[in-house]
């Protein structure tokens, strides 16, 4: 049944993609694609919940969708299980919202007021559908060929979209090159891991762990290859470049889903298919996660461009997801199976939560760009009044991503905190110290994220308009506010009743006994099962917390009354408040920048134009360089260019030299054969 | 049927945290005045201030939105919920919001977020200066708080505050250095979180030096009353945690409840003494000050992991 629904949904998306490429069928095509995506989300959620009811963990494929009479023997195999289901749900939800949003975003009203999709808009609309289909392929593939085909296509499709949308200008070509170069370098890791796994029978569903050595090689290569695709530091450099220049709906899919599909690959391979891994590997994942979380959010909060900030914040959230995954691996290695299952649940819950609010923020950024013509944070402002619907949705997403109760980001960060606290409780020095450092990293990340997203809310939504474009902004059409409202509502629902989802996610752990589900993992649920209760914790009764918070706020707001003195300008020591007094994002983050100066090494250039002792003009420019770019990638790129230049000398173009190479090779081979090196 | 002990503890929690909390900053001010050779206002002064503010009208700043209007209510609601989360004894009736230490962190972050968003809404430079400094300090406060709580939480098997209070009761729990180092770290957190010298100066009304007071600059009337009450309730939260988690306390619930007022008054005295003796430090040194606490707490837990203590 799930399979049939999924196939139908996929066909609908495909039909919609074809239709949206045509001039006539553009709008209908997008709606069709969105309907198909909603079907994918439904099938995914069904698979997730059904997987829990049946008490089944992972098989090679719970539902054989295709593959002929003997699914096991055919080279291409597909399947849907609970884990695929979760990611299909996230994909479908985000894609449906992004596709409906595309309807308004891609078409600019012409002089007669009618929407006219131009060729590029139609191509982007069709390619968005292709992107969705490719992601479904990765999530459902159960054999190396299908998986790797989907994996590579998943990298290529966004590159094509960016090139189409940007008319292949020089800067975006360069960015796309960086993106593809890093993806392909990292692809070595993914291919090695998947092919090794297939060769040793791990991919076929045999749960028996292979030899320790092979297992570790698969794990490390998978972390390298899939970690790069997920944007984990230090392999993240492509992400803050590529995500901002894609069209907003595609950015939403990239940050919201594509990065998560890399997490899916890691969970599938490291947690589900490989047996328990050594403790140090889990600690390595924790280190990568902590580094990504703190580094991502630190650089995010120093950005001046909205979409770039959001892209860097995706790195932060992938870091938090990896902290959950690392905790899961360490706990598994130490034999704490029940808590390892909860850690898996934390990792997956944050994955879904981040998909929802990051997609919402990217769509919101698209709406802001449409309305104001800019994404520079210091040129926005006051949009909550001019674009109330988009503004409220973006504010909800910002509060959720900052980890504030009672929204979903808080729930998943809370569970992650709880599982990290289990690591020092195991009395193992390596895992314990790693857990302690991870706790500190997560706490710092939470604090920095609050600063980062208060800055976003303040600069984009509040205060005076900081440019003419922002002052003239109008609310975007309903096709763009509807999807953001849907995602904002999802943030609230997932924040109030996270327990309903955490239980099936915990039950996905394949090492839990069949049918035991979440009960044996110690996730004792309250009667409704909506709250979060973990043994040892004081409990996070999210519905109660939300109700108390909302009720108290309402009572206090009513008690305050509306009595107010006449409006007065804000206090600036008696000066007239003009635009020159506007606070900037750089000013807001200055305390943190100064504190972290020795790490971040910000640069500033001040030039003073002085005439006859009177200062006429002071210009200030400052920026914070990305240290990993400057210290690692740039020297590496320079050295490889030099090495390539040397290598080119071998290729002189003269026939004589090439004949010389051949003779030399033959002689060498003969000598080797003669001396017995080559038998 | 709830027993007498949990019911009494829950009552103390609500009466103390919601109604009597303004006594704490009042006491600090009183002790400070005495230490400086002044007579000072009585401990009830904050109540009189709140009553005066309640009768005054609020001020609307030009160009602000609902964010500015709602922020004081959100702050007070978040802090009041936090008061309901933090128990005063090892056995207590719940208020339907759990007793989790990490939930407390989330609620305080919500209050900070609301204050900073309201500062952006007014666009007031002094408010934003204070908010940005407060958020910078908060990063290090949260980090230090989590590490300081880690020791007691590990001893109690989780972050349930009632279990943590129970596990720290009696003298035997205090023979390890973990708790002492955690207490040192928490003392630094307490100074920062209550906005006291040497981190912040609650008495200053010079705009450039304010941290917590800065974002309050535009508020008046009932809005300001909410924000001042929230600041007082934060004293309650921090000092109750200090008394029941980071200081030795008896095991019996009645004894815990009876000792609490005495310990709270003593802690107010300690805050007043620090304020009198220590000068305000440079803002950029505050992170180092807090990080020292984080390192101390982290070393304590690591030592216990390594079996050294």
């Amino acid at each position: 049944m799930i399979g049939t629904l999924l196939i139908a949904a996929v066909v609908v998306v495909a039909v919609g993609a074809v239709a949206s490429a045509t001039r006539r069928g553009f709008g209908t095509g997008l709606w069709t694609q969105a309907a198909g995506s909603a079907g994918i989300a439904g099938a995914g959620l069904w698979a997730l919940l059904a997987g829990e009811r049946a008490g089944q963990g992972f098989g090679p494929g719970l539902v054989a969708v295709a593959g002929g009479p003997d699914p096991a023997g055919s080279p291409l195999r597909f399947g849907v299980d609970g884990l695929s289901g979760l990611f299909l749900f996230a994909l479908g939800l985000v894609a449906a919202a992004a596709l409906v949003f595309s309807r308004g975003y891609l078409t600019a009203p012409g002089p007669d007021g009618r929407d006219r999709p131009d060729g590029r808009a139609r191509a982007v609309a069709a390619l968005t559908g292709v992107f969705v289909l490719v992601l479904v392929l990765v999530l459902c593939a159960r054999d190396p060929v299908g998986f790797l085909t989907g994996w590579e296509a998943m990298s290529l499709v966004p590159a094509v979209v960016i090139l189409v949308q940007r008319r292949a200008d020089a800067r975006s070509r360069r960015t796309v090159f960086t993106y593809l170069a890093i993806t392909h370098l990292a692809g070595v890791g993914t291919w090695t891991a998947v092919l090794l796994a297939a060769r040793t029978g791990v991919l076929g569903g045999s749960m028996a762990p292979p030899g320790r050595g092979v297992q570790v090689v698969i794990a490390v290569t998978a972390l390298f290859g899939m970690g790069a695709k997920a944007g984990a530091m230090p392999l993240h450099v492509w992400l803050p470049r590529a995500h901002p220049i894609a069209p907003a709906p595609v950015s939403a899919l990239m940050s919201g889903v594509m990065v998560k599909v890399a997490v899916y690959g890691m969970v599938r391979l490291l947690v589900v298919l490989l047996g328990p891994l050594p403790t140090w590997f889990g600690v390595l994942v924790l280190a990568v996660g902590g580094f990504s979380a703190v580094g991502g959010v630190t650089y995010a909060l120093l950005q001046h461009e909205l979409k770039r900030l959001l892209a860097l914040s995706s790195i932060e959230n992938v870091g938090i997801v990896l902290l959950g995954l690392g905790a899961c691996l360490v706990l598994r290695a130490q034999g704490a199976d029940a808590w390892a299952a909860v850690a898996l649940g934390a990792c997956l819950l944050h994955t879904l939560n981040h998909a929802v609010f990051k997609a919402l923020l990217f769509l919101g950024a698209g709406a802001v760009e449409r309305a104001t013509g800019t994404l520079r944070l210091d040129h926005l402002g006051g949009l909550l009044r001019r674009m109330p619907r988009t503004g409220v949705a973006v504010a909800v997403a910002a509060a959720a991503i900052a980890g504030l109760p009672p929204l979903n980001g808080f729930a998943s960060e809370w569970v992650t905190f709880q599982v990290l606290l289990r690591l020092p409780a195991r009395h193992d020095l390596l895992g314990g110290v790693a857990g302690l450092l991870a706790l500190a990293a997560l706490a710092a990340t939470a604090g920095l994220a609050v600063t980062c997203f208060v800055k976003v809310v303040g600069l984009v939504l509040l205060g005076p308009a900081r440019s003419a474009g922002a002052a003239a902004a109008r609310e975007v059409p309903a096709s763009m506010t509807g999807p953001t409202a849907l995602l904002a509502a999802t943030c609230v629902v997932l924040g109030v009743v996270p327990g309903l989802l955490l239980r099936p996610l915990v039950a996905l752990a394949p090492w839990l006994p069949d049918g035991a589900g979440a009960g044996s993992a110690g996730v004792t649920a309250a009667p409704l099962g909506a709250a979060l209760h973990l043994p040892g914790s004081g409990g996070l009764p999210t519905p109660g917390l939300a109700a108390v918070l909302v009720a108290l706020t309402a009572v206090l707001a009513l008690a305050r009354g509306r009595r107010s003195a006449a409006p007065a300008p804000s206090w600036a020591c008696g000066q007239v408040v003009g635009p020159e007094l506007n606070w900037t994002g750089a000013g807001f983050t200055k305390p943190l920048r100064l504190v972290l100066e020795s790490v971040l090494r910000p640069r500033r250039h001040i030039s003073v134009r002085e005439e006859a002792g009177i200062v006429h003009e002071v210009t200030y420019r400052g920026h914070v360089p990305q240290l990993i770019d400057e210290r690692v990638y740039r020297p590496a790129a320079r050295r490889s260019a030099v090495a390539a230049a040397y290598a080119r000398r071998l290729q002189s173009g003269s026939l004589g030299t090439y004949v010389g190479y051949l003779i030399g090779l033959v002689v060498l081979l003969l000598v080797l054969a003669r001396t017995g090196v080559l038998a | 049927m709830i027993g007498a002990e949990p019911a009494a503890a829950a009552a103390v929690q609500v009466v103390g945290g919601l109604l009597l909390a303004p006594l704490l900053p009042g006491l600090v001010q009183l002790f400070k005045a005495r230490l400086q050779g002044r007579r000072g206002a009585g401990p009830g002064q904050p109540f009189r201030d709140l009553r005066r503010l309640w009768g005054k009208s609020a001020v609307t700043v030009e160009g602000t939105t609902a964010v500015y209007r709602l922020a004081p209510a959100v702050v007070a609601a978040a802090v009041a919920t936090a008061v309901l989360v933090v128990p005063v004894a090892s056995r207590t009736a719940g208020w339907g919001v759990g007793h989790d230490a990490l939930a407390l962190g989330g609620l305080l972050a919500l209050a900070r977020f609301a204050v900073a968003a309201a500062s952006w809404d007014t666009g007031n430079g002094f408010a934003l200066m204070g908010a940005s400094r407060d958020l910078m300090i908060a990063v290090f406060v949260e980090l230090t708080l989590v590490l300081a709580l880690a020791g007691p939480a590990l001893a109690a098997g989780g972050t349930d505050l009632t279990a943590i209070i129970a596990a720290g009761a009696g003298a035997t729990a205090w023979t390890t250095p973990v708790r002492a180092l955690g207490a040192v770290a928490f003392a630094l957190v307490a100074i920062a979180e209550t906005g006291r010298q040497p981190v912040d100066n609650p008495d200053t009304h010079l705009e450039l030096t304010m941290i917590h007071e800065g974002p309050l600059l535009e508020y008046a009337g009932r809005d300001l009353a909410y924000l001042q009450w929230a600041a007082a309730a934060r004293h309650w939260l921090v000092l109750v945690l200090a008394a029941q988690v980071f200081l030795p306390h008896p095991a019996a619930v009645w004894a815990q409840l009876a000792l609490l007022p005495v310990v709270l008054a003593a802690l107010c005295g300690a805050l007043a003494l620090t304020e009198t003796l220590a000068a305000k430090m440079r803002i950029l040194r505050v992170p180092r000050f807090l990080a020292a606490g984080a390192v101390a707490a982290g070393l304590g837990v690591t030592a216990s992991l390594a079996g050294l203590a």
Side-chain angles (χ1 to χ4, degrees):
Chain A
M1 268 310 283
I2 297 170
T4 322
L5 176 59
L6 188 63
I7 294 173
V10 162
V11 170
V12 171
V13 172
V15 169
V18 173
S20 61
T22 63
R23 201 177 292 269
R24 276 264 182 91
F26 177 76
T28 333
L30 278 175
W31 280 108
T32 317
Q33 284 189 52
S37 301
I40 292 174
L45 192 59
W46 190 353
L48 178 64
L49 299 178
E52 187 222 7
R53 258 204 301 281
Q56 264 168 320
F58 299 92
L62 199 64
V63 183
V65 173
D70 176 21
S74 89
L76 279 177
R77 292 193 305 276
F78 301 96
V80 186
D81 58 13
L83 184 64
S84 311
L86 168 73
F87 286 85
L88 284 173
F89 173 59
L91 165 64
L93 183 66
V94 170
L99 285 160
V100 173
F101 186 87
S102 300
R103 178 75 186 88
Y105 179 80
L106 289 176
T107 54
D112 54 356
R114 282 183 54 194
D115 299 345
R116 266 172 218 283
D118 58 4
R120 274 189 300 155
R122 297 202 304 274
V124 170
L127 284 169
T128 312
V130 174
F131 193 26
V132 172
L133 295 179
V134 165
L135 291 169
V136 173
L137 172 64
V138 179
L139 293 174
C140 296
R142 288 293 176 274
D143 62 289
V145 179
F147 183 84
L148 289 173
T149 310
W151 190 265
E152 292 300 315
M154 173 174 95
S155 310
L156 291 175
V157 174
V160 176
V161 175
I162 292 172
L163 291 178
V164 167
Q165 166 79 8
R166 293 267 159 172
R167 288 209 183 110
D169 65 73
R171 213 183 115 239
S172 56
R173 269 210 308 267
R174 210 181 149 69
T175 306
V176 169
F177 173 76
T178 314
Y179 162 56
L180 288 180
I182 292 177
T183 313
H184 278 103
L185 278 178
V188 174
T190 312
W191 281 71
T192 314
V194 172
L195 293 179
L196 259 181
R199 185 160 171 73
T200 50
V202 173
L203 215 59
S206 73
M207 279 292 293
R212 208 68 163 162
V214 181
Q215 194 196 20
V216 166
V217 170
I218 295 176
V220 171
T221 48
L223 180 64
F224 171 69
M226 295 171 172
K229 200 82 192 95
M233 277 188 175
L235 296 166
H236 68 286
V237 281
W238 62 274
L239 197 150
R241 291 186 168 84
H243 285 206
I245 61 170
V250 177
S251 299
L253 276 172
M254 285 171 86
S255 247
V257 186
M258 184 178 84
V259 162
K260 304 298 145 38
V261 171
V263 172
Y264 161 83
M266 275 191 263
V267 171
R268 171 74 73 192
L269 212 52
L270 300 179
V271 178
V272 177
L273 293 174
L274 292 176
L277 290 156
T279 305
W280 64 262
F281 182 75
V283 171
L284 178 67
V285 175
L286 279 178
V288 171
F291 188 47
S292 305
V294 176
V297 73
T298 308
Y299 281 111
L301 85 100
L302 297 169
Q303 296 308 308
H304 304 293
E305 211 251 1
L306 180 54
K307 278 174 88 173
R308 207 173 146 78
L309 182 152
L310 295 179
L312 279 157
S313 133
S314 293
I315 296 173
E316 170 220 335
N317 282 280
V318 165
I320 297 175
V321 168
L322 289 183
L323 285 179
L325 182 63
C328 170
L329 293 171
V330 173
L331 289 166
R332 187 89 209 284
Q334 297 174 346
D337 282 355
W339 274 103
V342 179
L344 178 66
C347 155
L348 294 176
L349 187 63
H350 195 74
T351 305
L352 175 66
N353 285 342
H354 179 245
V356 176
F357 46 63
K358 188 47 66 69
L360 166 49
L361 284 166
F362 266 112
L363 294 183
V368 166
E369 189 182 18
R370 254 301 114 82
T372 64
T374 182
L375 281 172
R376 288 184 56 85
L377 285 168
D378 288 327
H379 291 183
L380 297 167
L383 294 183
L384 188 60
R385 251 169 301 149
R386 289 180 202 90
M387 303 167 68
R389 289 185 197 151
T390 307
V392 168
V394 168
V396 168
I401 200 170
L404 301 182
L407 297 166
N408 57 352
F410 176 66
S412 48
E413 278 181 23
W414 185 84
V415 186
T416 311
F417 264 119
Q418 293 294 344
V419 296
L420 288 177
L421 199 61
R422 289 297 124 191
L423 297 177
R426 304 289 309 165
H427 294 287
D428 167 85
L429 193 59
L430 176 64
V433 172
L436 212 57
L437 290 175
L439 273 175
L442 187 55
T445 306
L448 289 166
V450 169
T451 315
C452 180
F453 283 93
V454 161
K455 174 182 142 174
V456 169
V457 167
L459 282 170
V460 176
L461 301 178
L462 303 173
R466 295 174 180 85
S467 70
R474 292 255 197 83
E475 183 60 283
V476 290
S479 66
M480 290 165 82
T481 54
T484 47
L486 168 76
L487 292 177
T490 314
C491 283
V492 175
V493 171
L494 286 178
V496 175
V497 292
L500 294 182
L501 209 56
L502 186 65
R503 282 161 57 84
L505 292 181
V506 169
L508 286 179
W511 54 85
L512 292 183
D514 269 2
S520 73
V523 187
T524 52
L528 278 174
L532 295 174
H533 289 277
L534 295 173
S537 82
L540 191 67
T542 38
L545 210 57
V548 169
L549 266 177
V550 170
L552 280 175
T553 309
V555 167
L556 291 172
L558 284 176
R560 173 196 186 265
R562 299 196 65 84
R563 196 158 74 97
S564 177
S570 105
W571 170 248
C573 290
Q575 294 180 73
V576 177
V577 181
E580 69 281 358
L581 286 186
N582 276 345
W583 201 258
T584 60
F588 191 68
T589 50
K590 182 152 187 180
L592 272 167
R593 200 170 65 237
L594 287 176
V595 167
L596 301 175
E597 198 166 44
S598 56
V599 185
L600 296 173
R601 296 164 193 275
R603 303 221 177 99
R604 47 194 281 166
H605 315 272
I606 298 175
S607 58
V608 181
R609 193 165 64 81
E610 204 173 311
E611 274 168 32
I614 299 165
V615 175
H616 283 264
E617 198 182 330
V618 180
T619 48
Y620 165 85
R621 274 188 308 130
H623 79 289
V624 183
Q626 302 263 323
L627 275 188
I628 292 176
D629 285 22
E630 298 218 331
R631 295 291 164 87
V632 182
Y633 282 89
R634 215 159 282 168
R638 213 167 32 231
R639 301 239 167 87
S640 27
V642 171
Y646 277 112
R648 261 181 69 182
R649 290 188 193 165
L650 294 173
Q651 211 175 9
S652 61
S654 92
L655 190 61
T657 324
Y658 291 145
V659 174
Y661 289 158
L662 277 178
I663 293 171
L665 181 66
V666 169
V667 169
L668 181 70
L669 288 175
L670 283 175
V671 169
L672 287 177
R674 187 75 189 140
T675 51
V677 177
L678 288 177
Chain B
M1 188 61 204
I2 306 168
E5 286 182 354
V12 168
Q13 185 187 350
V14 166
V15 172
L18 298 183
L19 301 180
L20 299 181
L23 270 181
L24 298 172
L27 270 178
V28 178
Q29 291 303 93
L30 175 66
F31 289 142
K32 213 167 110 182
R34 291 290 158 85
L35 282 169
Q36 293 166 351
R38 295 182 283 121
R39 197 194 303 155
Q45 184 58 32
F47 287 108
R48 291 191 280 275
D49 288 341
L50 287 177
R51 197 184 62 200
R52 174 174 55 85
L53 288 172
W54 193 257
K56 294 198 167 207
S57 61
V59 172
T60 308
V61 178
E62 279 171 4
T64 50
T65 62
V67 172
Y68 167 80
R69 275 202 310 283
L70 280 177
V74 172
V75 171
V79 175
T81 313
V83 167
L84 298 182
V85 168
V86 175
V88 293
S90 52
R91 284 181 58 225
T92 178
W95 294 95
V97 289
H99 290 300
D100 193 77
L102 295 169
L104 171 69
L107 289 165
L108 292 181
L110 174 62
R112 262 195 287 271
F113 189 94
V115 165
S119 307
W120 275 112
D121 203 15
T122 62
N124 182 313
F126 300 120
L128 283 165
M129 205 184 292
S132 66
R133 289 171 179 174
D134 183 26
L135 290 169
M136 181 269 282
I137 292 173
V139 172
F140 295 90
V141 164
E142 288 194 14
L143 194 157
T144 311
L145 179 63
V146 165
L147 288 180
L149 277 169
L154 288 172
T159 52
D160 185 350
L161 281 169
T162 49
I164 291 178
I165 295 176
T172 47
W174 292 86
T175 52
T176 66
V178 190
R179 286 185 184 270
L181 288 168
V184 169
F186 189 77
L188 307 186
V189 169
I191 291 173
E193 199 57 31
T194 50
R196 295 277 161 189
Q197 288 193 56
V199 172
D200 189 8
N201 184 354
D203 294 336
T204 182
H205 288 283
L206 176 65
E207 291 93 332
L208 289 171
T209 62
M210 297 189 297
I211 300 177
H212 286 96
E213 296 286 312
L216 275 54
L217 199 61
E218 294 291 348
Y219 283 108
R222 294 185 181 180
D223 290 338
L224 188 56
Y226 285 159
L227 292 170
Q228 289 198 345
W229 174 83
R234 271 212 285 200
H235 280 69
W236 165 268
L237 291 173
V238 167
L239 296 185
V240 164
L241 278 182
Q244 307 296 54
V245 176
F246 293 98
L247 285 176
H249 49 271
V253 171
W254 291 116
Q256 284 169 3
L257 293 180
L259 263 181
L260 185 65
V262 182
V263 178
L264 287 183
L267 286 170
C268 285
L271 277 180
L273 193 63
T274 336
E275 281 222 314
T276 313
L277 295 179
K280 189 164 179 292
M281 66 172 75
R282 273 188 69 200
I283 183 97
L284 296 177
R285 300 190 75 101
V286 173
R288 260 187 248 174
F289 172 76
L290 288 164
V295 169
L299 283 179
V301 181
T302 311
S304 77
L305 274 176
L308 295 178

